[in-house]
Amino acid sequence: MTSQPLNLAVIVGSVREGRFGPVVARWIADRAARHGRFTVDLIDLAETPVPLELPSVPPALEPNPPRTAALQQLADRLAAADAVVVVTPDYNRSFPASLKAAIDWHYTQWQAKPIGFVGYSGASGGLLAIEQLRQVFNELQAHTVRDYVSFPRYYLLFAPDGTLIDPEGPEAAAKAMLDQLDWWGSVLHDARRDRPLTAN
């Protein structure tokens, strides 16, 4: 397995006004940086306009459809990632449309890469969104790792400065997920190099 640090993309999935996602994303990005095995690229979808109109030929069939300059930059950053953490809330028992659009505009960028999840919401802690995202990424030939981090009633868990009031449980969950992303990311990094997947 590769001994080099892995490129980890942390994606802020919500673009909603007043969203809490950036706070959660900065927290997990900091944990990943401290882990010691990752270089972290924090991707905020609110800073990258992603059209809801998809290309006429799906990215599964045409990996490089015409993209705006901003969307091409997003595609390049995703392609450079060895592993991904998706930070998502629950919206109406599912995940945000902004996140689905960003996923659907890409295909090969997800293939044979491990995906971890950090969820937050009022009651479920993002678990409803996470379970649906597992199905979506499975279709894209990505590997979702078992462990995740969940913040139910997140507004009671974080201090105003963005730190956790009681960090022990979430930090243990984050380490377990990051350890799995490291293992799978290292194995799949070498596999993609030595035996690339076909587009379909």
Side-chain angles (χ1 to χ4, degrees):
M1 296 193 297
T2 181
S3 60
Q4 298 298 315
L6 301 172
N7 295 321
L8 178 70
V10 176
I11 301 174
V12 186
S14 172
V15 300
R16 187 175 192 168
E17 183 178 354
R19 67 213 166 109
F20 196 75
V23 175
V24 181
R26 285 191 294 268
W27 177 84
I28 191 60
D30 183 65
R31 303 280 81 70
R34 295 185 185 190
H35 185 275
R37 281 286 294 146
F38 303 101
T39 59
V40 180
D41 182 15
L42 184 57
I43 299 173
D44 189 343
L45 294 184
E47 299 172 356
T48 304
V50 179
L52 294 179
E53 300 85 359
L54 296 173
S56 58
V57 179
L61 300 177
E62 172 47 68
N64 297 301
R67 294 186 174 103
T68 64
L71 197 55
Q72 185 58 52
Q73 184 181 52
L74 173 61
D76 293 342
R77 292 169 75 180
L78 294 175
D82 296 303
V84 177
V85 170
V86 176
V87 177
T88 183
D90 281 341
Y91 288 172
N92 298 321
R93 304 182 66 86
S94 187
F95 52 93
S98 52
L99 182 55
K100 186 62 162 65
I103 292 170
D104 289 345
W105 262 99
H106 303 90
Y107 188 82
T108 55
Q109 292 82 0
W110 308 115
Q111 281 186 313
K113 295 181 182 180
I115 314 290
F117 301 103
V118 179
Y120 64 98
S121 71
S124 78
L127 295 184
L128 298 171
I130 289 171
E131 288 308 304
Q132 292 183 26
L133 283 165
R134 289 188 187 280
Q135 299 177 55
V136 173
F137 279 111
N138 182 64
E139 178 65 19
L140 298 169
Q141 300 193 63
H143 174 77
T144 61
V145 299
R146 177 184 180 275
D147 284 67
Y148 56 88
V149 185
S150 175
F151 292 109
R153 296 181 175 83
Y154 62 89
Y155 41 82
L156 300 177
L157 305 179
F158 285 84
D161 65 356
T163 61
L164 281 169
I165 296 170
D166 183 6
E168 183 177 357
E171 289 195 355
K175 184 180 185 306
M177 180 185 71
L178 291 167
D179 285 347
Q180 291 169 22
L181 288 170
D182 176 25
W183 193 92
W184 281 103
S186 298
V187 170
L188 292 173
H189 174 277
D190 294 346
R192 289 195 310 275
R193 177 195 62 204
D194 299 335
R195 190 180 178 185
L197 277 171
T198 57
N200 287 305

